Amino acid sequence: MKIGFYQYRPQFGRIKANLNKVLKKLEGIDADLIVLPELAFSGYYFSDRSEALSLAEDPGNSATVNALTELCSRNDFHLVTGFTERADDKVYNSALLIGPDGIEHIYRKLHLFNEEKFWFDAGDIPLSVQEVRGARIGIMVCFDWVFPEVARTLALQGADIICQPANLVLTYCQQTMLTRSLENRVFSVTCNRFGADKRPQGELKFTGRSQLVAPNGDRLESAPPQREALVIMDIDPAQAHEKHITKHNDVLADRRPEFYRTLIEH
């Protein structure tokens, strides 16, 4: 299976320009699954909730989604992309799984980072796994990395590959995702943006360094911190079916959930 990421620098508020950049870059690419950054077309650093709503789109009636679907159809691949989603009077930091026939799944970010709590509604769609060409795909978004329960839940649901659109400003995630892959024995694809959003309220700088990680925790590919990068590589998703970390230790089967009740009681 050919999977990868496209790391780039979205321009704040310029949805059409950002979309055209993606369409041009990915046209003709030989891949099965490509991950794009968080909030890939709107930009990230909103001044307030009303601005986020003004740049959000209903995925069921979106020129952006239509163009991405056509891209997937022409090139016979799937995308996981960050998306500023509007649903009536709510706005979500979402990720869409799009294939040649359109949207196959929507995930709404469960764990909002810092000022995102002022702009977005918290995600309300349960974690789940989707199938893409025989591989099982789980989705998380950026700050979800802080919560190991997210990756573990996806692994328990059978994920082979965890796709993570991101707009990372902290420096810990890329290293932590090596552990998330290892402790769950899954592939992970973190697609981060680079550059900065310079807004009236301040500036946020993003760290780049998108990566693809193997189930043994090895970093297979990594992008530079401040440069565009398109990476596609061959993997065997079946490697994620082997959950043994030693001959006698299976990272899922050896769990003792009867001793983890505090996780759901507090």
Side-chain angles (χ1 to χ4, degrees), residues 89-103:
D89 62 341
K90 294 189 174 182
V91 60
Y92 298 100
N93 184 339
S94 297
L96 311 180
L97 173 62
I98 303 175
D101 296 322
I103 295 174

Side-chain angles (χ1 to χ4, degrees), residues 144-166:
D144 286 332
W145 68 266
V146 170
F147 303 87
E149 298 89 346
V150 174
R152 176 51 55 91
T153 298
L154 294 171
L156 287 170
Q157 292 178 342
D160 301 317
I161 305 165
I162 293 179
C163 299
Q164 183 192 26

Side-chain angles (χ1 to χ4, degrees), residues 3 5 19 23 42 96 99 146 188 210 265:
I3 70 171
F5 57 78
L19 173 62
L23 296 177
S42 64
L96 311 180
V146 170
S188 66
S210 299
E265 292 173 352

Side-chain angles (χ1 to χ4, degrees), residues 49-149:
R49 181 179 173 88
S50 63
E51 184 176 55
L53 278 164
S54 73
L55 290 169
E57 298 179 73
D58 174 357
N61 182 27
S62 164
T64 302
V65 169
N66 291 342
L68 293 173
T69 299
E70 291 171 3
L71 176 71
C72 290
S73 180
R74 286 193 305 272
N75 295 281
D76 192 30
F77 55 51
H78 282 70
L79 293 172
V80 172
T81 180
F83 191 80
T84 314
E85 181 194 358
R86 185 166 193 158
D88 298 322
D89 62 341
K90 294 189 174 182
V91 60
Y92 298 100
N93 184 339
S94 297
L96 311 180
L97 173 62
I98 303 175
D101 296 322
I103 295 174
E104 298 185 9
H105 182 64
I106 296 175
Y107 167 72
R108 293 169 174 167
K109 188 175 182 178
L110 293 179
H111 303 97
L112 300 178
F113 175 69
N114 201 21
E115 293 169 87
E116 287 181 36
K117 293 184 176 184
F118 305 141
W119 316 323
F120 293 119
D121 294 282
D124 57 358
I125 297 175
L127 293 161
S128 65
V129 170
Q130 319 305 314
E131 188 169 307
V132 173
R133 302 199 172 152
R136 292 164 293 187
I137 309 300
I139 300 173
M140 57 192 281
V141 173
C142 202
F143 194 56
D144 286 332
W145 68 266
V146 170
F147 303 87
E149 298 89 346

Side-chain angles (χ1 to χ4, degrees), residues 182-196:
L182 174 62
E183 68 195 4
N184 294 293
R185 300 290 297 181
V186 295
F187 289 95
S188 66
V189 185
T190 298
C191 183
N192 193 22
R193 64 163 290 180
F194 70 96

